[in-house]
Amino acid sequence: MKITIISVGKLKESYLVDGIKEYVKRLSKYTQIEEIVLLDEPIKDKTSDALNIQIKEKEGLRIIEALNPKSYVIVLDLKGKMLSSEELASKILEIQTYNSSHITFIIGGSLGLSDEVISKANFRLCFSKMTFPHQLMRVILLEQIYRSFVLLEQIYRAFKINNNETYHK
């Protein structure tokens, strides 16, 4: 299985960079992680709605160019479906079993995602109704993916034990 995370905007805070490195290291036991960080458009303090849409569209074009057409696409979207950690683990297992061995998560810039990017999604995921900085969402997303793989490993071990089979400890 391969997981790609496409995000807009370079991280400047070292504690976030360190958090991402830690979760990528932990996840390497379970899956291949690819990070694609795209350039964000400069935003002034007060911009019009029309300019905000243009900015999201420019960033959206970069996102679409980076997409693998064979990947199952999950966008992080405030209008998406909220899942528990267990439900996210089940969703990842379902995708891996029935759809694709490659999942791409997309995190937009500070203005969010363009309608065109959202239309490319196979699934819209919402972590909370609260708004988080898009840079912090990369760490939160990686932590939840890691939690999902650990949970799936425990389910696998339970099945092995219940069937009197050995498993690696």
Side-chain angles (χ1 to χ4, degrees):
M1 163 150 256
K2 179 178 180 180
I3 292 181
T4 299
I5 298 174
I6 299 174
S7 59
V8 176
K10 184 178 179 185
L11 288 178
K12 298 172 187 112
E13 297 84 0
S14 62
Y15 67 94
L16 293 175
V17 172
D18 291 343
I20 287 170
K21 285 179 185 176
E22 178 62 27
Y23 281 109
V24 168
K25 181 177 87 175
R26 291 180 187 188
L27 279 164
S28 67
K29 174 181 175 184
Y30 303 102
T31 187
Q32 179 186 351
I33 296 282
E34 174 188 29
E35 290 184 273
I36 300 173
V37 179
L38 303 173
L39 180 68
D40 56 345
E41 289 293 313
I43 303 171
K44 295 184 174 144
D45 285 342
K46 294 184 180 182
T47 57
S48 67
D49 289 342
L51 184 56
N52 287 344
I53 290 170
Q54 287 178 347
I55 290 169
K56 287 196 300 187
E57 287 174 352
K58 284 181 183 178
E59 291 173 348
L61 288 174
R62 290 187 197 113
I63 291 168
I64 291 168
E65 286 176 12
L67 278 176
N68 179 326
K70 294 181 180 178
S71 181
Y72 187 95
V73 176
I74 298 176
V75 295
L76 274 58
D77 181 8
L78 286 172
K79 295 178 183 170
K81 183 174 181 179
M82 285 199 285
L83 301 175
S84 68
S85 295
E86 294 81 5
E87 289 169 329
L88 180 59
S90 294
K91 184 70 176 171
I92 289 171
L93 183 60
E94 173 190 321
I95 294 165
Q96 185 179 3
T97 304
Y98 300 110
N99 299 104
S100 178
S101 62
H102 185 190
I103 301 173
T104 299
F105 290 90
I106 300 175
I107 303 170
S110 59
L111 297 175
L113 294 167
S114 69
D115 290 339
E116 189 173 0
V117 171
I118 291 171
S119 74
K120 301 280 185 198
N122 299 103
F123 187 78
R124 295 165 68 171
L125 177 63
C126 178
F127 274 89
S128 171
K129 294 297 179 190
M130 293 185 282
T131 303
F132 295 101
H134 64 284
Q135 296 94 340
L136 179 60
M137 281 309 303
R138 287 169 59 189
V139 177
I140 294 170
L141 173 63
L142 283 165
E143 193 279 334
Q144 285 300 307
I145 293 169
Y146 172 71
R147 185 180 299 260
S148 295
F149 276 100
V150 169
L151 181 61
L152 290 171
E153 182 177 283
Q154 295 306 312
I155 292 168
Y156 168 76
R157 286 182 179 187
F159 275 98
K160 295 289 270 182
I161 291 168
N162 289 340
N163 288 297
N164 295 316
E165 298 175 10
T166 60
Y167 65 93
H168 297 292
K169 295 181 182 186

